[in-house]
Amino acid sequence: MSILVTGSTGTIGAQVLAHLQTRNADVRALTRSPETAQFSAGVTAVRGDLADPDSVRAALEGVSTLFVLAPNVADELTQAMLTLTVAHEAGIKGIVYLSVFGGDAYADVPHFAGKYTVERMIEALDLPATVLRPAYFIQNDLRQKDGLLKAGVYASPIGAKGVSMVDIRDIGEAAAIELVRREQAVTPLGRETYALVGPDSLTGEGIATIWSEALGKAIRYGGDDLVAMEQRTKTMLPAWHALDLRLMFSRYQTEGAVASADDLARLAKLLGRAPRSYAAFAKDAATQWSKG
């Protein structure tokens, strides 16, 4: 039997595949375009789209364990719920679902509330699943490169309450560990939930200081203007998505998203090491940028 990875061509899906490859698993990758998808040797491309339940049914033939990463689209909730329904009906032995850290609290943020609704479905149906709740991705801040290098500004408006950002490599590794654990189990395992978080409570000013040290020049925090952020974001993303992100950053500013000591301890036990830090990421990014 095989592990099927959805969202396989995206940032997180690629990390999951990379970490699965080191674990001698039979891996399939769901993609709308298997003829053009480029995966590493040992990964089998399978045609499918989470918006098309029949294609998911076909893709699940011969699959026993499933990684569910619904795309960040307007009907993300529907796609995730229908995918889990099809998996449940197919008798899938193990599921790893990518949710979000703070989904239960951020009731007015669409993509948070949607993911938490999926968690409720998993619980209600008693699905054999691991729910992974990643915080804001550290690597999202690679988009800050021009502002940091050209203007000396860190512009992500995360505020002063603190966010325990997570490295995407830790997300991929945690998912791979749980997928293989469930795949190798003789019978379905009980539900587990992990917060995927970093070791630091990061603020806008604090991150500016980290970048100042990494780049060897003064970096200032660009401030908390969410309206300006939404307008900037609309030049790159649909308006619904820009507003969704503005609502998320508003919650970061008013409440934060800080991991507990127990969150960090459980993740470190799962990974077998401490999660990666933002400072290490910034140092690596600065080194790479200097070579460019």
Side-chain angles (χ1 to χ4, degrees):
M1 301 296 279
S2 298
I3 297 171
L4 178 66
V5 175
T6 69
S8 60
T9 58
T11 299
I12 300 302
Q15 288 292 326
V16 175
L17 290 174
H19 285 283
L20 281 173
Q21 281 203 288
T22 66
R23 290 171 165 79
N24 299 316
D26 182 8
V27 180
R28 304 179 187 182
L30 192 76
T31 172
R32 288 187 292 270
S33 305
E35 61 280 351
T36 58
Q38 296 183 335
F39 298 116
S40 300
V43 176
T44 302
V46 178
R47 185 181 303 279
D49 185 336
L50 298 194
D52 177 2
D54 286 338
S55 75
V56 177
R57 286 189 179 100
L60 286 176
E61 292 183 11
V63 168
S64 50
T65 306
L66 174 66
F67 177 69
V68 180
L69 191 171
N72 199 336
V73 292
D75 65 339
E76 173 185 346
L77 172 59
T78 298
Q79 291 195 33
M81 293 182 73
L82 294 182
T83 298
L84 287 172
T85 296
V86 171
H88 183 46
E89 292 174 349
I92 294 301
K93 177 176 70 173
I95 295 165
V96 175
Y97 172 64
L98 196 74
S99 185
V100 67
F101 185 69
D104 54 338
Y106 290 12
D108 59 335
V109 181
H111 73 284
F112 279 54
K115 287 179 169 64
Y116 186 60
T117 298
V118 176
E119 289 193 31
R120 290 171 55 208
M121 175 185 177
I122 288 169
E123 182 177 1
L125 295 183
D126 195 24
L127 299 180
T130 297
V131 174
L132 301 178
R133 295 173 169 173
Y136 190 80
F137 303 166
I138 286 176
Q139 278 76 7
N140 286 345
D141 280 354
L142 290 171
R143 302 168 192 158
Q144 302 293 324
K145 177 181 178 180
D146 286 348
L148 290 165
L149 297 182
K150 297 178 181 178
V153 174
Y154 175 72
S156 186
I158 67 167
K161 293 291 187 179
V163 179
S164 298
M165 295 187 188
V166 63
D167 193 296
I168 61 171
R169 293 168 293 182
D170 290 346
I171 299 174
E173 186 171 357
I177 289 168
E178 280 298 287
L179 285 165
V180 170
R181 185 176 74 92
R182 289 185 176 277
E183 173 67 8
Q184 293 178 344
V186 176
T187 58
L189 303 174
R191 290 195 312 280
E192 295 282 354
T193 301
Y194 288 94
L196 302 187
V197 289
D200 307 305
S201 176
L202 299 159
T203 65
E205 295 289 352
I207 290 179
T209 298
I210 290 172
W211 281 115
S212 296
E213 295 172 357
L215 295 171
K217 68 174 190 176
I219 300 295
R220 64 179 178 85
Y221 176 50
D224 296 343
D225 189 337
L226 294 173
V227 174
M229 185 220 76
E230 183 182 1
Q231 295 306 313
R232 287 197 308 271
T233 305
K234 281 197 292 187
T235 66
M236 300 173 286
L237 296 173
W240 67 264
H241 198 169
L243 177 55
D244 192 344
L245 292 176
R246 192 198 85 194
L247 293 167
M248 177 188 75
F249 279 106
S250 177
R251 285 288 190 144
Y252 284 164
Q253 290 183 11
T254 58
E255 297 176 38
V258 179
S260 68
D262 182 62
D263 291 334
L264 287 164
R266 291 195 75 238
L267 178 57
K269 184 176 180 181
L270 179 68
L271 296 174
R273 56 170 174 79
R276 293 176 171 92
S277 70
Y278 192 101
F281 153 78
K283 183 179 179 180
D284 290 345
T287 300
Q288 291 298 316
W289 294 344
S290 68
K291 296 176 180 177

